[in-house]
Amino acid sequence: LPALLALGIAVLGALSGGSVGLAARLHRRRGLSLVERVRRAVAAGRLTVVYQPLVRIHDGRLTGVEALARLTDECGDAIPPEVFIRVAEEHGLIGTITRIVIRTALADMRPRLLERTDFYCGVNLGAADILDPTLCGFLNGEVARNGLDPRQIVLEITERSTADHEQLIEGMTAFSGHGYEFFIDDFGTGYSSLAYL
């Protein structure tokens, strides 16, 4: 009987402790706005990059990868890309995220890019990134630091809002002048229509 009583008390204590911990975690997360959760996660280095393989259909050959950002908050919960990218664009965090993705992707893919000159790495850019006058220099620096060919870096435009097309063309021209190619990401959704193209 004393052993059963002790076991019961231990189980109740564990359940109580777990409940209090879960309640505290939920309270802390509820107390933070989504913007603050994203801001803190980026600052804490909780942004990771995963790679979507791009395969040529007729022969099944891997031709490249698309670098995709993933973010988890301080509780370890994933914040979906469609959520944190929108928040980052609206609150001036997208430039930081773009730079982290570029630096990580080029370092991770460096061996494959050096091994195969026909292999490429795609990185998503929004209109704000293309219009950022410092991003092209940053990208050039990362490409040079890794000893890569700019022609192996594909910039995928993920346009989610309207932008001045003349300014966008100027920005794209600056990147193209260094050898970078452009793809249109998620063509046919949002503003990525035939008229936009």
Side-chain angles (χ1 to χ4, degrees):
L1 189 60
L4 285 176
L5 184 61
L7 180 62
I9 290 171
V11 168
L12 282 174
L15 287 173
S16 298
S19 298
V20 169
L22 180 60
R25 180 177 168 188
L26 291 173
H27 176 71
R28 182 173 45 174
R29 188 184 323 145
R30 205 175 295 130
L32 293 176
S33 70
L34 182 58
V35 177
E36 192 57 30
R37 283 176 61 204
V38 170
R39 192 181 311 277
R40 289 171 70 147
V42 170
R46 294 182 166 278
L47 183 77
T48 57
V49 179
V50 297
Y51 301 94
Q52 177 178 311
L54 302 166
V55 178
R56 194 165 49 208
I57 293 175
H58 77 272
D59 63 2
R61 184 170 170 80
L62 181 68
T63 58
V65 294
E66 180 181 0
L68 303 170
R70 297 294 181 258
L71 191 66
T72 56
D73 65 17
E74 60 192 46
C75 296
D77 296 324
I79 304 173
E82 62 273 10
V83 173
F84 79 79
I85 294 295
R86 177 183 48 80
V87 168
E89 287 176 337
E90 291 171 359
H91 296 275
L93 300 169
I94 197 65
T96 301
I97 289 173
T98 299
R99 283 166 172 74
I100 293 169
V101 171
I102 288 171
R103 180 175 287 130
T104 304
L106 296 189
D108 288 351
M109 288 296 119
R110 181 178 184 272
R112 180 65 64 109
L113 291 165
L114 291 175
E115 176 187 321
R116 283 185 48 199
T117 57
D118 63 338
F119 190 83
Y120 71 89
C121 179
V123 178
N124 293 323
L125 297 183
D129 293 319
I130 294 168
L131 298 177
D132 178 349
T134 65
L135 186 64
C136 189
F138 174 83
L139 179 58
N140 286 337
E142 289 301 307
V143 166
R145 190 169 65 81
N146 285 284
L148 302 175
D149 184 343
R151 291 173 295 184
Q152 291 180 279
I153 311 304
V154 171
L155 307 175
E156 301 192 22
I157 303 177
T158 58
E159 179 61 6
R160 291 180 179 83
S161 62
T162 57
D164 182 300
H165 287 182
E166 292 303 316
Q167 287 182 317
L168 209 52
I169 289 168
E170 285 178 30
M172 291 173 69
T173 301
F175 284 97
S176 296
H178 292 280
Y180 304 108
E181 289 191 45
F182 280 93
F183 287 1
I184 302 294
D185 197 28
D186 298 331
F187 182 77
T189 63
Y191 289 95
S192 294
S193 64
L194 190 57
Y196 174 69
L197 183 60

